[in-house]
Amino acid sequence: MSWSERLKELGIELPGVAAPLAAYVPAVQSGKHVYTSGQLPFVDGVLAATGKVGAEISPEEAKGHARTSALNALAAVHALVGIDNVTRIVKVVGFVASAEGFTGQPAVVNGASELLGEVFGDAGIHARSAVGVAELPIGSPVEVELIVEVQ
């Protein structure tokens, strides 16, 4: 089964590629790898939420926003090389805008990791960083970037 068929089976539709907020592109390919820029939880061109996790945003809500950010990263990969050319997810980096004292970043970034596992199975197993930060662009609670191997 192709990845695009797997997405359909799961009832997941890749969104359009989010427009960059500054001087960069959503994804670039170098050799057999695609590197995405950090993706925010945009839905239909609108940031889904603003605020810090552990204050205005609950960890469970943030986990959903990490999932949305990962979908946006996959959309950038798909637009560049086609989702069916992915051979594995190599690395996920998740940034979480964290309220003082919030230390649950790994559980938040699981929203991205679990989505990739659902879609890619064993090929979705990846290395990962989950980083707490003071602020993210335009007040986003999360940001996710991917490194993906392609054929």
Side-chain angles (χ1 to χ4, degrees):
M1 171 183 308
S2 70
W3 302 133
S4 54
E5 291 169 337
R6 178 69 179 145
L7 286 166
K8 278 186 187 172
E9 181 181 89
L10 292 169
I12 297 171
E13 187 174 326
L14 291 177
V17 179
L21 298 175
Y24 61 89
V25 295
V28 297
Q29 182 176 2
S30 179
K32 292 185 136 196
H33 292 96
V34 171
Y35 300 80
T36 71
S37 296
Q39 298 295 311
L40 305 179
F42 281 110
V43 177
D44 297 325
V46 177
L47 189 62
T50 59
K52 293 189 179 186
V53 181
E56 300 87 4
I57 307 289
S58 75
E60 242 348 271
E61 288 173 296
K63 183 178 179 182
H65 296 313
R67 179 183 176 94
T68 300
S69 297
L71 280 172
N72 288 336
L74 288 177
V77 171
H78 179 61
L80 186 65
V81 298
I83 198 74
D84 291 327
N85 288 311
V86 172
T87 57
R88 78 166 296 122
I89 306 299
V90 177
K91 184 158 186 188
V92 173
V93 179
F95 301 95
V96 180
S98 301
E100 187 174 339
F102 179 74
T103 60
Q105 293 83 8
V108 170
V109 180
N110 276 349
S113 294
E114 291 169 4
L115 167 75
L116 297 168
E118 289 173 37
V119 174
F120 297 103
D122 287 346
I125 297 170
H126 53 271
R128 188 180 91 175
S129 298
V131 182
V133 297
E135 300 288 340
L136 285 169
I138 62 175
S140 180
V142 297
E143 182 172 345
V144 172
E145 60 184 54
L146 303 178
I147 301 173
V148 177
E149 184 179 76
V150 296
Q151 55 186 345

